[in-house]
Amino acid sequence: MMLNVKSLREQVYEYLRDQIERGKLKPGASINLNAISKELGISKTPLRDALIQLETEGLVNILPRRGVTVRTVALNDIKDAYEIVGALEGAIIATVFDRITEDHIRRMRKINEDMREALLRDDFSSHYQMNINFHDTFLSLSENQSLSRVIMPFKQLLYDFPRRRFVKEWELRNSDEHDEFIDSIIRKDLDRAVHVMRDVHWSYSAQEEYIRKFYYREG
């Protein structure tokens, strides 16, 4: 398999990320740089650059003198990610609440409806991207864009490690929580909006039953 020279690092990154998402490179597995270089017909330089990017996103571990492994996600990692995302999104909601317009509300309503339709089609890829777009509708209003960049790797860790078949019951519940969040905005109830997103939607304890089903097939 040969890659185009243009944006070589990005292409290698996308290839490796796809392999992780699809479970071709499994958590805990070592990544054979020589084999991948040969398969893709590239030098190790763009491969190392792509791996550095994947490490910053929490998807691989680069171990000095021991190679590169796909990260294994423990339950505590998931719990920590939920706590971090919930705290940051809650903080952003508090700062942008007065900037959320009727257009933003309509956009979130439409995305949430489309998410439910994607569930009926078993279209996880579209559902995943629409979920990101829903949250980005209000996250993008923040003047502190560094916060959004901090949040995204944790979401990638939760969603793409590797990408799993979704639990429909859970995703439908998440859409219901989106509706409750939107309704809180319409009622101009800031405290409720923050609570729904921070203490319910991104609460490990509130979502633990489904988290165990999704990540560990329990229940």
Side-chain angles (χ1 to χ4, degrees), residues 7-61:
S7 302
L8 188 56
R9 180 189 63 79
E10 288 82 2
Q11 292 183 63
V12 176
Y13 163 81
E14 291 173 1
Y15 168 80
L16 292 173
R17 186 176 174 78
D18 180 68
Q19 294 293 294
I20 292 172
E21 287 179 3
R22 293 195 295 155
K24 299 293 185 180
L25 290 171
K26 299 185 181 300
S30 296
I31 297 178
N32 189 323
L33 273 63
N34 290 328
I36 292 177
S37 293
K38 184 176 180 180
E39 178 183 356
L40 300 182
I42 60 172
S43 70
K44 289 183 180 177
T45 299
L47 178 55
R48 289 195 183 99
D49 290 342
L51 289 169
I52 289 171
Q53 183 175 348
L54 288 168
E55 184 182 41
T56 63
E57 295 176 358
L59 298 182
V60 304
N61 292 319

Coordinates of all heavy atoms in Angstrom, one line a residue, residues 7-61:
S7 N 0.8 15.7 2.5 CA 0.2 15.5 3.8 C 0.5 14.1 4.3 O -0.4 13.4 4.8 CB -1.3 15.7 3.8 OG -1.6 17.0 3.4
L8 N 1.7 13.6 4.2 CA 2.0 12.2 4.5 C 1.8 11.9 6.0 O 1.2 10.9 6.3 CB 3.5 12.0 4.1 CG 4.0 10.5 4.2 CD1 3.1 9.6 3.4 CD2 5.4 10.4 3.8
R9 N 2.2 12.9 6.8 CA 2.0 12.6 8.3 C 0.5 12.5 8.6 O 0.1 11.6 9.3 CB 2.6 13.8 9.1 CG 2.4 13.6 10.6 CD 2.8 14.8 11.4 NE 1.9 15.9 11.0 CZ 0.7 16.1 11.5 NH1 0.2 15.2 12.4 NH2 0.0 17.1 11.2
E10 N -0.3 13.3 8.0 CA -1.8 13.2 8.2 C -2.3 11.9 7.7 O -3.2 11.3 8.4 CB -2.5 14.4 7.6 CG -2.3 15.8 8.3 CD -1.0 16.4 7.8 OE1 -0.3 15.9 7.0 OE2 -0.7 17.5 8.4
Q11 N -1.9 11.5 6.6 CA -2.4 10.2 6.1 C -2.0 9.0 6.9 O -2.8 8.1 7.2 CB -1.9 10.0 4.6 CG -2.4 11.0 3.6 CD -1.9 10.7 2.2 OE1 -2.2 9.7 1.7 NE2 -1.2 11.7 1.7
V12 N -0.7 9.1 7.4 CA -0.3 8.0 8.3 C -1.1 8.0 9.6 O -1.5 7.0 10.1 CB 1.2 8.1 8.6 CG1 1.7 7.0 9.6 CG2 2.0 8.0 7.3
Y13 N -1.3 9.2 10.1 CA -2.1 9.4 11.3 C -3.5 8.8 11.2 O -4.0 8.1 12.0 CB -2.1 10.9 11.7 CG -3.3 11.2 12.7 CD1 -3.1 11.0 14.1 CD2 -4.5 11.8 12.2 CE1 -4.1 11.3 14.9 CE2 -5.5 12.1 13.1 CZ -5.3 11.8 14.5 OH -6.3 12.1 15.3
E14 N -4.1 9.2 10.0 CA -5.5 8.7 9.8 C -5.5 7.2 9.6 O -6.5 6.5 10.1 CB -6.1 9.4 8.5 CG -6.4 10.9 8.7 CD -6.8 11.6 7.5 OE1 -6.8 10.9 6.4 OE2 -7.0 12.8 7.5
Y15 N -4.5 6.6 9.0 CA -4.4 5.2 8.8 C -4.3 4.5 10.2 O -5.0 3.5 10.5 CB -3.2 4.8 8.0 CG -2.9 3.3 8.0 CD1 -3.6 2.5 7.2 CD2 -1.9 2.8 8.8 CE1 -3.3 1.1 7.2 CE2 -1.6 1.5 8.8 CZ -2.3 0.6 8.0 OH -2.0 -0.7 8.0
L16 N -3.4 5.0 11.0 CA -3.2 4.3 12.3 C -4.5 4.5 13.2 O -4.9 3.6 13.9 CB -2.0 4.9 13.0 CG -0.6 4.6 12.4 CD1 0.5 5.4 13.1 CD2 -0.4 3.1 12.5
R17 N -5.0 5.7 13.2 CA -6.2 6.0 13.9 C -7.4 5.0 13.5 O -8.1 4.5 14.4 CB -6.7 7.4 13.8 CG -7.8 7.8 14.7 CD -8.1 9.3 14.5 NE -9.3 9.6 15.3 CZ -9.4 9.8 16.6 NH1 -8.3 9.6 17.3 NH2 -10.5 10.0 17.2
D18 N -7.5 4.8 12.2 CA -8.5 3.9 11.7 C -8.3 2.5 12.2 O -9.2 1.8 12.5 CB -8.5 4.0 10.2 CG -9.6 3.1 9.6 OD1 -10.8 3.3 9.7 OD2 -9.2 2.1 8.9
Q19 N -7.0 2.1 12.2 CA -6.7 0.7 12.7 C -7.1 0.6 14.1 O -7.5 -0.5 14.5 CB -5.2 0.5 12.5 CG -4.7 0.4 11.0 CD -5.3 -0.8 10.3 OE1 -5.0 -1.9 10.6 NE2 -6.2 -0.5 9.3
I20 N -6.9 1.6 14.9 CA -7.2 1.6 16.3 C -8.7 1.6 16.5 O -9.3 0.8 17.3 CB -6.6 2.8 17.1 CG1 -5.1 2.6 17.1 CG2 -7.1 2.8 18.5 CD1 -4.3 3.8 17.7
E21 N -9.4 2.5 15.8 CA -10.9 2.6 15.9 C -11.5 1.2 15.5 O -12.5 0.8 16.1 CB -11.4 3.7 15.0 CG -11.1 5.1 15.5 CD -11.6 6.1 14.5 OE1 -12.3 5.8 13.5 OE2 -11.4 7.3 14.8
R22 N -11.0 0.6 14.5 CA -11.6 -0.7 14.0 C -11.2 -1.9 14.8 O -11.6 -3.0 14.5 CB -11.4 -0.9 12.5 CG -12.1 0.2 11.7 CD -12.1 -0.2 10.2 NE -10.7 -0.3 9.6 CZ -10.4 -1.1 8.6 NH1 -11.3 -1.8 8.0 NH2 -9.2 -1.0 8.1
G23 N -10.3 -1.7 15.8 CA -9.8 -2.8 16.6 C -8.7 -3.6 15.9 O -8.4 -4.7 16.4
K24 N -8.2 -3.2 14.8 CA -7.1 -3.9 14.1 C -5.9 -3.8 14.9 O -5.1 -4.8 15.0 CB -6.9 -3.3 12.7 CG -8.1 -3.4 11.8 CD -8.4 -4.8 11.4 CE -9.5 -4.9 10.4 NZ -9.9 -6.3 10.0
L25 N -5.6 -2.7 15.6 CA -4.6 -2.5 16.6 C -5.3 -2.5 17.9 O -6.0 -1.6 18.2 CB -3.8 -1.2 16.3 CG -2.9 -1.2 15.1 CD1 -2.4 0.2 14.9 CD2 -1.8 -2.2 15.2
K26 N -5.1 -3.6 18.7 CA -5.9 -3.7 19.9 C -5.2 -3.1 21.1 O -4.0 -3.0 21.1 CB -6.1 -5.2 20.1 CG -6.9 -5.9 19.0 CD -7.3 -7.3 19.4 CE -8.0 -8.0 18.2 NZ -9.3 -7.3 18.0
P27 N -6.0 -2.7 22.1 CA -5.4 -2.1 23.3 C -4.4 -3.1 23.9 O -4.6 -4.3 24.0 CB -6.6 -1.9 24.2 CG -7.8 -1.7 23.3 CD -7.5 -2.6 22.1
G28 N -3.2 -2.5 24.2 CA -2.1 -3.3 24.8 C -1.2 -3.9 23.8 O -0.1 -4.3 24.1
A29 N -1.6 -3.9 22.5 CA -0.7 -4.4 21.5 C 0.5 -3.5 21.1 O 0.3 -2.3 21.2 CB -1.5 -4.7 20.2
S30 N 1.6 -4.1 20.8 CA 2.7 -3.4 20.3 C 2.6 -3.0 18.9 O 2.0 -3.8 18.1 CB 4.0 -4.2 20.5 OG 4.3 -4.5 21.9
I31 N 3.0 -1.8 18.5 CA 2.9 -1.4 17.1 C 4.3 -1.6 16.5 O 5.3 -1.1 16.9 CB 2.6 0.1 17.1 CG1 1.1 0.3 17.7 CG2 2.6 0.6 15.6 CD1 0.7 1.8 17.7
N32 N 4.3 -2.4 15.5 CA 5.6 -2.8 14.7 C 5.9 -1.7 13.7 O 5.3 -1.7 12.6 CB 5.4 -4.2 14.1 CG 6.7 -4.7 13.5 OD1 7.5 -3.9 13.0 ND2 6.9 -6.0 13.6
L33 N 6.8 -0.8 14.1 CA 7.1 0.3 13.2 C 7.7 -0.2 11.8 O 7.3 0.4 10.8 CB 8.0 1.3 13.8 CG 7.4 2.4 14.7 CD1 6.7 1.8 15.9 CD2 8.5 3.3 15.2
N34 N 8.5 -1.2 11.9 CA 9.2 -1.7 10.7 C 8.1 -2.3 9.7 O 8.1 -2.0 8.5 CB 10.2 -2.8 11.0 CG 11.4 -2.2 11.7 OD1 11.8 -1.1 11.4 ND2 12.0 -3.0 12.6
A35 N 7.2 -3.0 10.3 CA 6.1 -3.6 9.4 C 5.2 -2.6 8.8 O 4.9 -2.7 7.6 CB 5.3 -4.6 10.3
I36 N 4.8 -1.6 9.6 CA 4.0 -0.5 9.1 C 4.7 0.3 8.0 O 4.1 0.7 7.0 CB 3.4 0.3 10.2 CG1 2.5 -0.5 11.1 CG2 2.7 1.6 9.7 CD1 2.0 0.3 12.3
S37 N 6.0 0.6 8.3 CA 6.8 1.4 7.3 C 6.8 0.7 6.0 O 6.6 1.2 4.9 CB 8.2 1.6 7.8 OG 8.2 2.5 8.9
K38 N 7.0 -0.7 6.1 CA 7.1 -1.5 4.8 C 5.7 -1.5 4.2 O 5.6 -1.4 2.9 CB 7.6 -2.9 5.2 CG 7.8 -3.8 4.0 CD 8.4 -5.1 4.4 CE 8.6 -6.0 3.2 NZ 9.1 -7.3 3.6
E39 N 4.7 -1.7 4.9 CA 3.3 -1.9 4.4 C 2.9 -0.6 3.7 O 2.3 -0.6 2.6 CB 2.3 -2.2 5.5 CG 0.9 -2.3 5.0 CD -0.1 -2.5 6.1 OE1 0.3 -2.7 7.3 OE2 -1.3 -2.5 5.8
L40 N 3.2 0.6 4.3 CA 2.8 1.8 3.7 C 3.8 2.4 2.7 O 3.5 3.4 2.0 CB 2.6 2.9 4.8 CG 1.5 2.5 5.8 CD1 1.4 3.6 6.9 CD2 0.2 2.2 5.2
G41 N 5.0 1.8 2.6 CA 6.0 2.3 1.7 C 6.6 3.7 2.1 O 6.8 4.5 1.3
I42 N 6.8 3.9 3.4 CA 7.2 5.2 3.9 C 8.4 5.0 4.8 O 8.7 3.9 5.3 CB 6.1 5.9 4.7 CG1 5.7 5.0 5.9 CG2 4.9 6.2 3.8 CD1 4.7 5.7 6.8
S43 N 9.1 6.1 5.1 CA 10.2 6.1 6.1 C 9.5 6.2 7.5 O 8.3 6.4 7.6 CB 11.1 7.3 5.9 OG 10.4 8.5 6.2
K44 N 10.4 6.0 8.5 CA 9.8 6.0 9.9 C 9.6 7.5 10.4 O 8.9 7.6 11.4 CB 10.8 5.3 10.8 CG 10.8 3.8 10.6 CD 11.7 3.1 11.6 CE 11.8 1.6 11.4 NZ 12.7 1.0 12.3
T45 N 10.1 8.5 9.7 CA 9.9 9.8 10.2 C 8.4 10.3 10.2 O 7.9 10.7 11.3 CB 10.7 10.9 9.3 OG1 12.1 10.5 9.4 CG2 10.4 12.3 9.8
P46 N 7.6 10.2 9.1 CA 6.2 10.5 9.2 C 5.5 9.6 10.1 O 4.5 10.0 10.8 CB 5.7 10.4 7.8 CG 6.7 9.5 7.1 CD 8.0 9.8 7.7
L47 N 5.9 8.3 10.3 CA 5.3 7.4 11.2 C 5.5 7.8 12.6 O 4.5 7.8 13.4 CB 5.8 6.0 10.9 CG 5.3 4.9 11.8 CD1 3.8 4.8 11.8 CD2 6.0 3.5 11.5
R48 N 6.7 8.2 13.0 CA 6.9 8.7 14.3 C 6.1 10.0 14.6 O 5.6 10.1 15.7 CB 8.4 8.9 14.5 CG 9.3 7.7 14.6 CD 10.7 7.9 15.1 NE 11.5 6.8 15.1 CZ 12.4 6.5 14.1 NH1 12.6 7.4 13.1 NH2 13.1 5.4 14.2
D49 N 6.1 10.9 13.6 CA 5.3 12.1 13.8 C 3.8 11.8 14.1 O 3.2 12.4 15.0 CB 5.4 13.0 12.6 CG 6.8 13.6 12.4 OD1 7.6 13.6 13.4 OD2 7.2 14.1 11.3
A50 N 3.3 10.8 13.3 CA 1.9 10.5 13.5 C 1.7 9.8 14.9 O 0.7 10.1 15.6 CB 1.5 9.5 12.4
L51 N 2.6 9.0 15.4 CA 2.5 8.4 16.7 C 2.6 9.4 17.8 O 1.9 9.3 18.8 CB 3.6 7.3 16.8 CG 3.4 6.1 16.0 CD1 4.7 5.2 16.0 CD2 2.2 5.3 16.5
I52 N 3.4 10.4 17.6 CA 3.5 11.5 18.6 C 2.1 12.2 18.8 O 1.7 12.5 19.9 CB 4.6 12.5 18.2 CG1 6.0 11.9 18.4 CG2 4.4 13.8 19.1 CD1 7.1 12.8 17.9
Q53 N 1.4 12.4 17.6 CA 0.1 13.0 17.7 C -0.9 12.1 18.4 O -1.7 12.5 19.2 CB -0.4 13.4 16.3 CG -1.8 14.1 16.3 CD -2.2 14.5 14.9 OE1 -1.4 14.4 13.9 NE2 -3.4 14.9 14.8
L54 N -0.8 10.8 18.1 CA -1.7 9.8 18.7 C -1.4 9.8 20.2 O -2.3 9.6 21.0 CB -1.5 8.5 18.1 CG -2.1 8.3 16.7 CD1 -1.6 7.0 16.0 CD2 -3.6 8.4 16.7
E55 N -0.2 9.9 20.6 CA 0.2 9.9 22.0 C -0.4 11.1 22.7 O -1.0 11.0 23.9 CB 1.7 9.9 22.2 CG 2.0 9.8 23.7 CD 3.5 9.8 24.0 OE1 4.2 10.6 23.3 OE2 4.0 9.0 24.8
T56 N -0.4 12.3 22.1 CA -1.0 13.5 22.7 C -2.5 13.3 22.9 O -3.1 13.9 23.8 CB -0.7 14.8 21.9 OG1 -1.3 14.7 20.6 CG2 0.8 15.0 21.7
E57 N -3.1 12.5 22.0 CA -4.6 12.2 22.1 C -4.9 11.1 23.1 O -6.0 10.7 23.3 CB -5.1 12.0 20.7 CG -5.0 13.2 19.8 CD -5.5 12.8 18.4 OE1 -5.9 11.7 18.2 OE2 -5.5 13.7 17.6
G58 N -3.8 10.5 23.7 CA -4.0 9.4 24.6 C -4.3 8.1 24.0 O -4.8 7.2 24.7
L59 N -4.1 7.9 22.8 CA -4.4 6.6 22.1 C -3.2 5.6 22.1 O -3.5 4.4 21.9 CB -4.9 6.9 20.7 CG -6.2 7.7 20.6 CD1 -6.6 7.8 19.1 CD2 -7.3 7.1 21.4
V60 N -2.0 6.1 22.2 CA -0.9 5.2 22.3 C 0.1 5.6 23.4 O 0.0 6.8 23.8 CB -0.1 5.1 20.9 CG1 -1.0 4.7 19.8 CG2 0.6 6.4 20.6
N61 N 0.9 4.7 23.8 CA 2.0 5.0 24.7 C 3.3 4.8 24.0 O 3.6 3.7 23.5 CB 1.9 4.1 26.0 CG 0.7 4.4 26.8 OD1 0.3 5.5 27.0 ND2 0.1 3.3 27.3

